[in-house]
C-alpha cells in the first residue's frame, strides 16, 4: 500500500542526502590532497547510494534526470578526480551533481 511507497521514498531520500554529504566530503579530501580518499568517496556516493535510487526515480518517470546525474557522478567527476583536475573544476562538478540530487530529493518529496 501507500506506506510501503512512503517508506521507499524516505529511504531513497536518505540515500540522496547521503550522496550529497559524500560529495561534499570528496571536495574536502581533495583539497587536503587525499586523492585516493576523494575518489573512494565519490565512488561510494554513486555506487552505494545513488544506484539504489535510480529505479525509484525511473518509476517517477524521470529517466533524463537519472541519466544526467549518472553522467555527472560516474563519468565527469570521476574523470576529473583521476586526472587530478584543479579544485575549482572538481567543486564545479560536485556542485552540479548536488543541484541535481536536490532536484531528485524534491521529486521524491512530491515538491513541484
Amino acid at each position: 500500500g501507500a506506506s510501503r511507497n512512503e517508506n521507499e521514498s524516505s529511504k531513497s531520500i536518505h540515500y540522496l542526502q547521503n550522496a550529497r554529504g559524500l560529495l561534499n566530503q570528496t571536495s574536502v579530501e581533495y583539497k587536503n590532497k587525499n586523492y585516493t580518499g576523494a575518489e573512494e568517496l565519490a565512488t561510494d556516493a554513486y555506487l552505494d547510494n545513488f544506484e539504489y535510487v535510480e529505479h525509484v526515480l525511473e518509476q517517477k518517470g524521470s529517466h533524463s534526470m537519472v541519466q544526467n546525474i549518472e553522467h555527472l557522478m560516474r563519468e565527469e567527476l570521476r574523470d576529473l578526480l583521476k586526472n587530478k583536475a584543479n579544485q575549482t573544476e572538481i567543486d564545479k562538478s560536485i556542485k552540479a551533481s548536488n543541484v541535481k540530487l536536490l532536484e531528485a530529493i524534491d521529486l521524491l518529496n512530491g515538491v513541484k
Side-chain angles (χ1 to χ4, degrees):
S3 61
R4 204 192 78 82
N5 280 344
E6 268 169 46
N7 188 29
E8 187 166 60
S9 261
S10 63
K11 233 190 329 212
S12 299
I13 287 166
H14 174 76
Y15 279 129
L16 291 169
Q17 299 281 23
N18 219 16
R20 296 184 75 236
L22 287 165
L23 288 177
N24 293 333
Q25 201 51 42
T26 300
S27 170
V28 172
E29 292 304 322
Y30 198 82
K31 214 170 252 141
N32 296 335
K33 305 215 181 328
N34 176 8
Y35 300 122
T36 319
E39 268 192 64
E40 281 168 9
L41 287 163
T43 304
D44 281 356
Y46 180 76
L47 286 181
D48 297 333
N49 291 280
F50 186 68
E51 283 232 311
Y52 292 115
V53 183
E54 285 186 3
H55 71 284
V56 184
L57 292 170
E58 294 269 4
Q59 279 167 0
K60 297 258 180 191
S62 208
H63 181 64
S64 62
M65 180 187 278
V66 169
Q67 285 194 308
N68 207 320
I69 296 174
E70 220 175 48
H71 170 74
L72 284 166
M73 288 177 75
R74 198 179 69 197
E75 289 154 31
E76 187 181 288
L77 179 58
R78 279 164 72 181
D79 284 348
L80 288 170
L81 291 168
K82 273 193 192 76
N83 298 326
K84 308 271 189 291
N86 65 44
Q87 187 79 37
T88 322
E89 283 185 80
I90 299 283
D91 287 346
K92 213 167 77 180
S93 178
I94 286 175
K95 196 174 170 192
S97 293
N98 274 335
V99 166
K100 285 283 162 202
L101 289 168
L102 271 181
E103 282 176 24
I105 290 169
D106 283 347
L107 180 75
L108 294 174
N109 271 327
V111 178
K112 285 290 164 280

